[in-house]
Amino acid sequence: MKTYFEQHERVFKDATLVILLVELAKQRGIHPDKLLKGTKLFQHDLIQADFAISQQQFVKLIGNIIKFINTPEIPFLLGSRLFPAQLGQIGLALCNARNLQDMLRIIKCSQSQIFPFMFLMEKHHQEKRYFIFNHAITCEGEGYHQFMCELLASMIISAVKWRTNCVLDIKIRFPYTQPEHIEQYQAYFEQAYRFTPHIGSFIVPTIVKNHCGLQLSLPENIMRKPFTESNQAIKRYHLNQVERSGFSVGIIQYVYQTIGQYLAQNKEVTLEKVALDLSVSPATLKRKLANHHTSYQNLLDLFRQQQAIFQLTEQGYNNEKVASELHFSDLTNFRRSFKRWTGLTPNEIKQAL
């Protein structure tokens, strides 16, 4: 069974997200046909039982939203309305989870059905839990990148607030500099949030902004704090109703996680080994990744870069410790690679983040 999908494959079968986008556009005077232009979708497709949409179509739809509706509240509104509306049986199961840890377990098992556009990398440090989200299928421009970060953050915060009935100590770091529409963040996020900062007169380069990933962190003890209402029998019932298709993820997520598995096991990782894992030739893997606006080297650098930035800024490791953890032969080689990844030195990143 194929364990990854590509941008042209129509694998997203829930129309709720698209319907909500169309409705939000109509409320702002944008005709559905205009919003759906170039997506090869029509309004009557949204109510068909066999509805399916690809990443290419979704990216075009988000591009139309940004182009035709020049109002920054759309991703925030959308995220606050999605849970649990678009999740069907999985949403009902999440509504009966016992705590955040229980919800996370369900989400990990059903990622491709909940939010296949981005995936999470989970980390623990000093009684804190960190979640770093990256794009799973394609690497798009900054407009799409920011829209999806705002959408996902709004969806997560809305879901947590709805289940806990309180404001938890969650911290959010957005991987871009502060936007002009800061009032939307103030309205939707009571939690502490921050942006990728300026370093003097120098802005953190685009490669860092697009590769840092959206990051959320919270105290470890919150994860197991029981919800006031939950029912394990009802949760299991709804999970049993979920269609059990093979677990498939976006090609970027698959390659990224394969790289991570090799490095975690202290194994040498190469393009040829990853291609063999995907049952394709190295040349085919190169072509596939290029079609998704990235490359094997970019994803390898992304993994190492994110590990290094987390260890430097959150764990407080010094350069020697990070170089050792990432299996660099010497400190000079690590510093040179870090400068190539980010355009900055490790110390400049620590100062900024």
Side-chain angles (χ1 to χ4, degrees):
M1 184 199 70
K2 187 178 178 182
T3 52
Y4 67 93
F5 60 85
E6 299 180 57
Q7 62 176 342
H8 64 276
E9 298 179 69
R10 294 193 176 200
V11 296
F12 312 141
K13 298 181 179 180
D14 192 296
T16 309
L17 179 56
V18 180
I19 291 172
L20 285 173
L21 280 168
V22 169
E23 289 302 314
L24 287 171
K26 286 170 64 177
Q27 292 169 10
R28 286 154 182 79
I30 303 298
H31 193 278
D33 291 346
K34 186 173 184 179
L35 187 69
L36 297 173
K37 184 179 180 180
T39 66
K40 298 181 181 178
L41 288 172
F42 300 94
Q43 196 170 3
H44 62 82
D45 293 328
L46 307 184
I47 59 173
Q48 301 303 314
D50 59 350
F51 172 86
I53 185 174
S54 69
Q55 168 73 357
Q56 282 180 329
Q57 292 172 299
F58 182 73
V59 169
K60 181 61 178 176
L61 179 63
I62 298 303
N64 288 346
I65 286 284
I66 296 171
K67 179 180 179 180
F68 297 127
I69 309 176
N70 191 23
T71 52
E73 77 276 7
I74 296 296
F76 299 92
L77 284 171
L78 190 61
S80 64
R81 295 178 184 180
L82 277 175
F83 180 85
Q86 96 290 12
L87 301 182
Q89 300 287 351
I90 297 173
L92 294 171
L94 289 169
C95 290
N96 284 280
R98 67 167 66 93
N99 52 32
L100 289 176
Q101 181 66 36
D102 200 17
M103 289 182 74
L104 179 62
R105 197 175 298 117
I106 296 171
I107 290 168
K108 284 182 174 180
C109 294
S110 308
Q111 180 219 322
S112 59
Q113 292 156 291
I114 295 176
F115 201 81
F117 311 102
M118 300 179 79
F119 69 98
L120 69 87
M121 178 171 62
E122 186 180 355
K123 289 184 170 294
H124 306 255
H125 179 62
Q126 292 186 346
E127 302 301 319
K128 291 185 73 175
R129 188 84 63 99
Y130 295 83
F131 303 101
I132 303 170
F133 295 89
N134 293 303
H135 296 287
I137 313 161
T138 58
C139 293
E140 303 293 336
E142 289 191 55
Y144 174 87
H145 177 60
Q146 182 170 321
F147 187 100
M148 295 303 288
C149 288
E150 292 171 343
L151 168 59
L152 181 58
S154 301
M155 183 179 175
I156 293 171
I157 295 303
S158 176
V160 169
K161 189 184 299 184
W162 189 81
R163 287 299 287 124
T164 61
N165 297 313
C166 63
V167 178
L168 298 180
D169 181 21
I170 299 177
K171 293 180 173 59
I172 312 170
R173 187 170 74 197
F174 292 96
Y176 40 81
T177 53
Q178 180 175 312
E180 293 182 3
H181 53 277
I182 189 64
E183 66 279 356
Q184 299 298 330
Y185 293 82
Q186 295 168 345
Y188 283 90
F189 303 128
E190 299 174 66
Q191 294 74 14
Y193 58 86
R194 54 188 171 135
F195 302 93
T196 300
H198 294 253
I199 303 178
S201 60
F202 184 72
I203 302 176
V204 176
T206 298
I207 186 173
V208 180
K209 292 190 289 182
N210 285 349
H211 283 182
C212 278
L214 173 69
Q215 178 177 298
L216 282 79
S217 62
L218 66 165
E220 188 69 52
N221 63 336
I222 290 178
M223 294 295 298
R224 293 179 174 81
K225 184 177 180 180
F227 294 151
T228 54
E229 295 182 12
S230 66
N231 189 307
Q232 294 303 290
I234 293 178
K235 182 192 76 174
R236 287 192 293 270
Y237 168 78
H238 287 297
L239 288 178
N240 287 336
Q241 309 308 308
V242 176
E243 180 183 352
R244 295 299 174 186
S245 56
F247 189 74
S248 183
V249 300
I251 185 171
I252 287 180
Q253 177 178 349
Y254 190 94
V255 173
Y256 181 97
Q257 292 179 332
T258 300
I259 289 171
Q261 289 166 7
Y262 274 101
L263 293 178
Q265 298 166 8
N266 294 329
K267 294 180 180 178
E268 181 186 13
V269 57
T270 63
L271 171 68
E272 290 72 22
K273 287 185 177 181
V274 175
L276 182 63
D277 199 76
L278 271 70
S279 302
V280 299
S281 70
T284 298
L285 178 57
K286 279 185 179 180
R287 176 177 52 79
K288 286 179 180 292
L289 292 176
N291 289 339
H292 293 76
H293 318 304
T294 189
S295 68
Y296 168 78
Q297 188 63 52
N298 284 345
L299 294 179
L300 177 60
D301 288 348
L302 169 61
F303 183 87
R304 285 176 163 166
Q305 175 188 312
Q306 289 191 329
Q307 298 295 318
I309 289 176
F310 183 84
Q311 291 169 5
L312 287 166
T313 62
E314 301 294 349
Q315 294 180 286
Y317 288 179
N318 59 32
N319 294 346
E320 290 80 3
K321 174 71 170 175
V322 177
S324 174
E325 290 286 319
L326 296 180
H327 309 293
F328 278 90
S329 57
D330 58 71
L331 184 58
T332 301
N333 191 21
F334 164 67
R335 284 176 172 156
R336 186 182 302 115
S337 296
F338 195 91
K339 182 79 171 182
R340 175 173 59 82
W341 298 336
T342 67
L344 302 172
T345 67
N347 288 339
E348 286 173 330
I349 284 288
K350 289 181 74 170
Q351 177 187 351
L353 300 180

